[in-house]
């Protein structure tokens, strides 16, 4: 059985590629602060199911914090300073968000990380995110820092072509995945979240994805 399937201890690290790794349990100490911040973000910019350019409603519910927010509609994917639903700026990145993103990036080898966008993804059981590259950012070297909260999930981490083989990476509450530099443009996705109940979040998985969009 692959090492990626072994039980991991908090504070350990699994390398996925030269500039990509999982920091097991890295966010556990700040989960309460993150959850309070997510509740505040959600109160001014509620989760919503975006429509893809192809006309499909996305299974994952999304909102954003930061100077820029990732949006999708029939016209395409883009970053916007304003929440199209309210016309207001997205809620700011909070101190807890910025500190965690910078600390995780540094731990993974990326010093001085200052994201300007955080996509907040919400997965109900059964929800998946198909294989994709994060390619709407101007900066394609700065890392993506991805924080998992709530129900566990299997993250797929692949190569630079959609058809490249993927590794299955089990992620649990508090895990942080970082990929940047030469590994920044790798395909990735999430298998359907299995039904279950998490002590802090109930029947949900939340994911924070920090980016440097501009
Ligand atoms: C993403 O690729 O935007 C999210 C990945 C995840 O939910 O773990
Ligand atoms: Fe992504």
């Amino acid at each position: 059985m692959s090492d990626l399937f072994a039980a991991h201890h908090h504070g350990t690290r699994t390398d996925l590629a030269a500039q990509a790794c999982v920091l097991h349990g890295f966010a556990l100490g700040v989960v309460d602060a993150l959850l309070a911040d997510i509740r505040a973000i959600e109160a001014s910019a509620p989760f919503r199911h975006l429509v893809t350019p192809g006309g499909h409603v996305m299974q994952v519910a999304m909102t954003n914090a930061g100077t820029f927010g990732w949006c999708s509609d029939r016209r395409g994917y883009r970053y916007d300073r304003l929440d199209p639903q309210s016309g207001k700026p997205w809620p700011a990145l909070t101190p807890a968000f910025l500190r965690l993103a910078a600390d995780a990036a540094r731990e993974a080898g990326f010093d001085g990380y200052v994201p300007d966008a955080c996509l907040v993804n919400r997965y109900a059981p059964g929800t998946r995110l198909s294989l994709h590259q994060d390619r709407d950012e101007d900066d394609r070297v700065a890392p993506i820092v991805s924080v998992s909260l709530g129900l566990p999930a299997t993250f797929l981490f692949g190569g630079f072509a959609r058809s490249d083989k993927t590794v299955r990476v089990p992620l649990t509450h508090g895990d942080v995945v970082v990929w940047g530099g030469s590994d920044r443009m790798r395909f990735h996705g999430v298998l359907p979240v299995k039904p279950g109940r998490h002590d802090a979040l109930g029947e949900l998985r939340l994911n924070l994805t920090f980016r440097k969009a501009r």
Side-chain angles (χ1 to χ4, degrees):
M1 190 180 284
S2 152
D3 178 50
L4 292 177
F5 291 85
H8 289 289
H9 296 288
H10 300 147
T12 65
R13 162 184 177 148
T14 300
D15 288 326
L16 301 175
Q19 294 193 279
C21 66
V22 185
L23 304 171
H24 300 282
F26 193 85
L28 280 177
V30 294
V31 161
D32 290 350
L34 299 179
L35 292 178
D37 289 348
I38 293 168
R39 277 191 288 273
I41 290 163
E42 187 180 356
S44 64
F47 285 101
R48 77 288 307 262
H49 294 273
L50 298 173
V51 176
T52 67
H56 297 285
V57 177
M58 294 189 69
Q59 291 184 0
V60 180
M62 295 177 172
T63 186
N64 290 281
T67 306
F68 301 99
W70 188 82
C71 303
S72 174
D73 62 19
R74 292 305 300 246
R75 290 176 295 152
Y77 304 128
R78 69 186 159 275
Y79 279 94
D80 230 317
R81 286 178 178 272
L82 304 180
D83 176 349
Q85 201 163 287
S86 67
K88 296 185 303 184
W90 297 102
L93 291 171
T94 65
F97 275 34
L98 286 167
R99 196 172 314 124
L100 174 63
D103 287 352
R106 185 182 317 104
E107 184 73 16
F110 301 95
D111 284 340
Y113 183 55
V114 184
D116 57 12
C118 179
L119 175 65
V120 187
N121 292 316
R122 189 183 69 190
Y123 298 75
T127 300
R128 66 192 285 269
L129 184 65
S130 53
L131 215 54
H132 66 280
Q133 288 170 303
D134 291 356
R135 53 182 312 133
D136 302 314
E137 301 73 26
D138 292 343
D139 191 323
R140 293 182 169 202
V141 175
I144 303 291
V145 172
S146 171
V147 181
S148 291
L149 299 168
L151 287 178
T154 301
F155 184 64
L156 300 176
F157 196 68
F160 300 100
R162 186 181 299 279
S163 57
D164 288 350
K165 83 170 181 32
T166 58
V167 289
R168 292 171 171 226
V169 184
L171 296 179
T172 61
H173 185 64
D175 286 348
V176 180
V177 187
V178 182
W179 64 100
S182 56
D183 292 312
R184 169 63 177 73
M185 298 309 291
R186 284 183 183 269
F187 276 85
H188 57 279
V190 179
L191 289 182
V193 171
K194 293 200 176 107
R197 166 168 290 277
H198 183 268
D199 287 345
L201 277 124
E203 295 176 53
L204 282 181
R205 172 177 188 260
L206 293 178
N207 168 263
L208 304 176
T209 306
F210 294 94
R211 296 97 183 269
K212 191 161 161 29
R214 297 291 175 256

